Amino acid sequence: MEILVPTSFDVSIFPHCDGSCRFIEDGTFVIATVVGPQHMSEKHQSHDPECGSFEIRCQVADRGALDRPLIERRIEENAASILNRTVDRKKFPRQVITLSILIVLNDGAATRLALNASVLALLDAAVPLLSIPLTVDY
């Protein structure tokens, strides 16, 4: 018998961000926020001026987790590999979008929930997307 795990999400949870999402499933809790597009700082000026820049940051809240840096890097890399092809960066030249992901609790589904929360936060911020990726477990 298959057990269904309750899933919930909320968007627009932080009014100071352009987009945000809280995604909870079983023992995993992820928050994603989007700021931008906004004008590029000097550190982003090396990018193609005809395309916007997309910055992703991930942080695991559990400071005691031994594999925290590895989890953060893996989630950033996975999100970047999918979302860099998804966000229509030509729609915001000379601008940057910052996506911040916070893993509050991780019961093994953080990577999947991080991507889903990120997509919902980007949609909440009205960032132009070429597609809408979705991750699931099977």
Side-chain angles (χ1 to χ4, degrees):
M1 184 166 115
E2 207 172 305
I3 298 173
L4 296 176
V5 178
T7 300
S8 68
F9 67 89
D10 297 298
V11 294
S12 299
I13 57 171
F14 295 116
H16 64 281
C17 297
D18 295 307
S20 57
C21 177
R22 173 180 48 224
F23 210 115
I24 302 170
E25 181 180 291
D26 201 25
T28 303
F29 177 8
V30 176
I31 296 173
T33 60
V34 173
V35 176
Q38 57 190 8
H39 293 294
M40 285 188 188
S41 65
E42 290 297 320
K43 73 177 186 175
H44 294 102
Q45 292 299 325
S46 62
H47 294 281
D48 179 1
E50 298 305 314
C51 289
S53 177
F54 188 53
E55 185 175 280
I56 300 172
R57 299 181 197 137
C58 180
Q59 184 176 4
V60 174
D62 182 4
R63 297 287 181 199
L66 297 176
D67 56 349
R68 186 176 62 106
L70 178 66
I71 293 170
E72 292 171 346
R73 187 172 62 247
R74 186 184 74 225
I75 291 173
E76 287 172 356
E77 289 170 355
N78 287 343
S81 72
I82 293 170
L83 296 176
N84 276 324
R85 295 180 301 213
T86 300
V87 174
D88 190 359
R89 296 183 300 144
K90 291 184 178 181
K91 298 282 186 184
F92 52 97
R94 296 178 188 84
Q95 295 181 333
V96 62
I97 291 175
T98 303
L99 169 65
S100 299
I101 303 166
L102 175 63
I103 310 301
V104 180
L105 295 171
N106 185 5
D107 194 26
T111 301
R112 179 171 50 83
L113 266 60
L115 183 63
N116 289 338
S118 298
V119 170
L120 289 170
L122 288 164
L123 289 169
D124 185 40
V127 172
L129 303 179
L130 300 170
S131 63
I132 300 175
L134 171 69
T135 60
V136 296
D137 281 342
Y138 58 92

